[in-house]
Amino acid sequence: MTELTTAPLIERAARFANRVAIDAGEGRFRYADLLRDSASAAAVLLDGRASLGGARVAFLIRPSYAWVVAQWAAWRAGGVAVPLCLAHPEPELDYVVEDSGAEILIVEPELRDRLAPIAARRSLQLTSSNALLSATAAAELPAVDTEAGALLIYTSGTTSRPKGVLTTHASVAAQIRSLVAAWEWSSEDRILLVLPLHHVHGVINVLGCSLWSGAACEMLPAFDAKEVWRRFADSDLTLFMAVPTIYSKLIREWEGLPEPHRHELSKACDRFRLMVSGSAALPVSTLERWREISGHLLLERYGMTEIGMALSNPLHGERRPGHVGTPLPGVEIRRLDERGTPATDDSPAELQVRGPSVFREYWQKPEATAAAFRDGWFLTGDVAVVDGGSYRLLGRNSVDIIKTGGFKVSALEIEEKLREHPAIEECAVVGLPDDEWGERVGAAVVLAGGCEIEIDELRTWCKERLATYKAPSRLLTVDELPRNVLGKVTKSDIVRLFAPRERAGD
Ligand code: AMP
């Protein structure tokens, strides 16, 4: 165990004291402000104790300076930060508070009503984020053990309730260091945060890397396409990171603008040095359209709450559309075949990950933790091949690898092809249970304006482009695809949407 006086991320801040750390709705704050304010907020949380000793500090705060102060205060007081999801309804928030065993609850005043009943039920005091910000208390802050828990982030499985993924200060630092090295972050960078802060993408890749590097993080309380384009035009941003649906929304917004304005916004993209996509598969069509609009070839990367980022296309060098690149610094990846020997590049196999960035445990779920590792390697559940030296994801083992008539097919591959169909705007492919085939390939599609499509016609079209067994045999037209707050399509919901039709023998 290594004892530090504070978390590695916070320990670095003094060297950037006079630089801007956060530029948010409340104003502009330097690293020195963050150090001062988080120390007095930590003193409030300690409330006379020497250390929180790993107590969970849950907070419901929109992306803001107050959010960062709450996170740093939790860490500096010796607690584990549990950022709550703003989009969660009360039962979900209640579940996370209960499961994490949070002892301290912090809430932004405007959101107080959402946590008040939960706090009351557990006789917990609700601390206002504003009160923390204006605190002037002082206390001796405890030393922080790098192997102590730092972050508890809840992640949804397809079948079970969300699990708390516990990462230590050491693993948070390793996740950040890897990205800072690979994407060459520096204190000259300025990034726009548009992602929620209850997920690794926003917490680690954007905010964590920015603060580690002495860079400036400009924050929007929530994503808004118009506002993002305005910031692109008006701010000295150098970096942007988002999920594919955000890029799609930005594309749509741009396409709806008059020509001179479009041109001006496209020109504004010149000043960025890097734009990144991840957390879900980036459709090649989105990548291409974004390149036409912004001049940037998006860097696609792959990661997971449990491991941080694992694979990335290169900052310099060829970025291959539809691929997620090679292992990031410090990350070991292996793929084994059924006999336990290394799989050949072209055979699909699960990605297994090892390294200092891997999480410690699923919170209070020792069986789930044990089942998630084999010989010290984390089993991601994501299946990939290596294609010309670069990894290509085929999807989640459980939902995206469809077993039909003895063949294993990748939902992601079929989706990529379906998006080329002129009538299809968006789509999601799932496996539907079937007595004869094991599973049938089902496609839920959102049609382009004024278009129609029939299953027979779609099958004929697919068979000219894909192996016959990959052509969907079930088609469902929907107005929009069900997605989670991060914009990821929730495939279990899609399977359920098919279900009434399947039962009716359609
Ligand atoms: P989360 O823990 O919420 O970040 O979800 C992680 C999962 O998102 C991974 O296990 C993958 O299935 C998926 N994912 C992340 N990045 C990508 C990507 N670039 N392409 C396809 N799927 C991705």
Side-chain angles (χ1 to χ4, degrees):
M1 287 202 191
T2 325
E3 289 232 328
L4 285 177
T5 44
T6 187
L9 184 62
I10 298 171
E11 184 266 324
R12 294 172 56 83
R15 74 184 76 170
F16 309 117
N18 282 318
R19 296 191 72 89
V20 171
I22 303 293
D23 191 345
E26 310 113 299
R28 199 172 276 173
F29 301 89
R30 298 167 312 141
Y31 282 84
D33 299 322
L34 193 45
L35 282 170
R36 184 199 56 229
D37 292 341
S38 59
S40 44
V44 174
L45 299 184
L46 282 168
D47 194 21
R49 287 168 284 192
S51 167
L52 293 183
R56 272 73 59 217
V57 180
F59 44 98
L60 188 70
I61 307 173
R62 277 174 288 192
S64 58
Y65 179 61
W67 190 101
V68 187
V69 169
Q71 186 199 41
W72 283 32
W75 285 353
R76 300 186 83 178
V80 174
V82 189
L84 298 172
C85 171
L86 294 158
H88 273 172
E90 194 191 314
E92 298 280 335
L93 290 172
D94 192 59
Y95 169 78
V96 174
V97 171
E98 170 70 28
D99 189 78
S100 65
E103 288 174 34
I104 296 177
L105 292 181
I106 306 172
V107 71
E108 179 183 335
E110 288 78 15
L111 305 176
R112 194 177 177 87
D113 290 351
R114 305 200 29 210
L115 277 193
I118 296 171
R121 236 174 276 141
R122 295 184 172 71
S123 308
L124 289 172
Q125 210 187 320
L126 256 188
T127 304
S128 145
S129 59
N130 278 8
L132 276 189
L133 270 186
S134 55
T136 50
E140 194 177 327
L141 300 178
V144 171
D145 180 350
T146 46
E147 293 307 323
L151 256 185
L152 192 53
I153 290 193
Y154 277 77
T155 180
S156 300
T158 40
T159 47
S160 53
R161 300 292 312 260
K163 294 194 280 284
V165 173
L166 183 72
T167 37
T168 62
H169 286 288
S171 41
V172 166
Q175 292 179 5
I176 292 175
R177 260 196 211 103
S178 174
L179 292 183
V180 166
W183 298 342
E184 297 179 5
W185 275 87
S186 85
S187 59
E188 298 303 315
D189 277 316
R190 183 176 182 89
I191 192 162
L192 180 66
L193 173 90
V194 298
L195 296 164
L197 283 177
H198 66 276
H199 185 268
V200 66
H201 201 162
V203 176
I204 300 290
N205 299 22
V206 178
L207 183 61
C209 288
S210 182
L211 295 174
W212 184 276
S213 309
C217 184
E218 194 170 317
M219 290 181 164
L220 293 185
F223 171 75
D224 170 9
K226 218 181 250 26
E227 182 60 16
V228 171
W229 275 119
R230 196 182 71 70
R231 300 291 178 110
F232 277 19
D234 294 345
S235 296
D236 292 328
L237 297 165
T238 62
L239 291 169
F240 188 65
M241 296 180 193
V243 294
T245 41
I246 285 190
Y247 286 104
S248 303
K249 286 181 184 167
L250 291 174
I251 289 170
R252 233 175 290 144
E253 175 69 22
W254 185 93
E255 285 174 339
L257 295 171
E259 180 49 50
H261 196 187
R262 283 184 181 185
H263 180 74
E264 180 200 328
L265 294 180
S266 293
K267 193 87 195 72
C269 294
D270 287 354
R271 67 166 80 97
F272 286 81
R273 69 172 185 85
L274 175 66
M275 293 183 172
V276 178
S277 172
S279 293
L282 174 66
V284 174
S285 52
T286 308
L287 171 136
E288 280 168 358
R289 187 68 183 126
W290 186 255
R291 173 144 65 165
E292 287 163 11
I293 289 173
S294 72
H296 283 269
L297 182 61
L298 290 171
L299 180 153
E300 185 171 7
R301 57 61 181 174
Y302 156 83
M304 214 176 166
T305 309
E306 289 88 335
I307 55 174
M309 298 304 111
L311 294 162
S312 169
N313 273 287
L315 178 64
H316 308 290
E318 192 198 359
R319 295 180 198 160
R320 294 181 57 199
H323 290 64
V324 286
T326 52
L328 279 157
V331 179
E332 282 182 87
I333 303 256
R334 73 174 187 185
R335 296 178 322 118
L336 301 181
D337 64 18
E338 271 117 38
R339 292 184 309 270
T341 52
T344 53
D345 281 0
D346 57 353
S347 33
E350 184 186 21
L351 293 171
Q352 302 185 9
V353 177
R354 193 167 71 171
S357 56
V358 175
F359 77 126
R360 188 167 77 195
E361 65 190 31
Y362 290 118
W363 179 247
Q364 294 196 323
K365 293 195 170 45
E367 282 169 18
T369 307
F373 286 88
R374 185 171 309 147
D375 314 327
W377 293 79
F378 174 68
L379 311 175
T380 62
D382 289 308
V383 175
V385 290
V386 183
D387 174 6
S390 177
Y391 286 77
R392 185 158 56 80
L393 288 170
L394 301 179
R396 301 275 314 146
N397 216 344
S398 45
V399 283
D400 292 320
I401 304 300
I402 303 169
K403 291 160 194 135
T404 181
F407 293 104
K408 276 191 190 174
V409 305
S410 157
L412 269 53
E413 183 191 340
I414 302 171
E415 287 164 6
E416 195 56 67
K417 193 48 75 186
L418 290 182
R419 280 190 210 101
E420 291 172 16
H421 192 290
I424 295 178
E425 186 150 309
E426 284 189 285
C427 64
V429 167
V430 292
L432 301 168
D434 184 87
D435 289 345
E436 188 181 352
W437 296 92
E439 283 182 302
R440 273 179 184 271
V441 178
V445 300
V446 177
L447 294 174
C451 294
E452 284 181 18
I453 195 168
E454 293 296 332
I455 183 66
D456 292 342
E457 178 202 336
L458 182 68
R459 274 182 74 73
T460 309
W461 184 90
C462 283
K463 283 183 201 167
E464 286 163 11
R465 294 162 176 86
L466 289 167
T468 302
Y469 57 86
K470 295 181 184 171
S473 59
R474 292 282 185 268
L475 178 68
L476 185 69
T477 307
V478 290
D479 291 338
E480 66 181 322
L481 296 173
R483 293 180 188 273
N484 69 12
V485 279
L486 221 75
K488 267 190 236 203
V489 174
T490 46
K491 294 228 166 159
S492 49
D493 290 334
I494 293 190
V495 173
R496 271 196 289 278
L497 288 177
F498 271 99
R501 291 163 49 106
E502 296 296 308
R503 273 199 297 276
D506 188 10

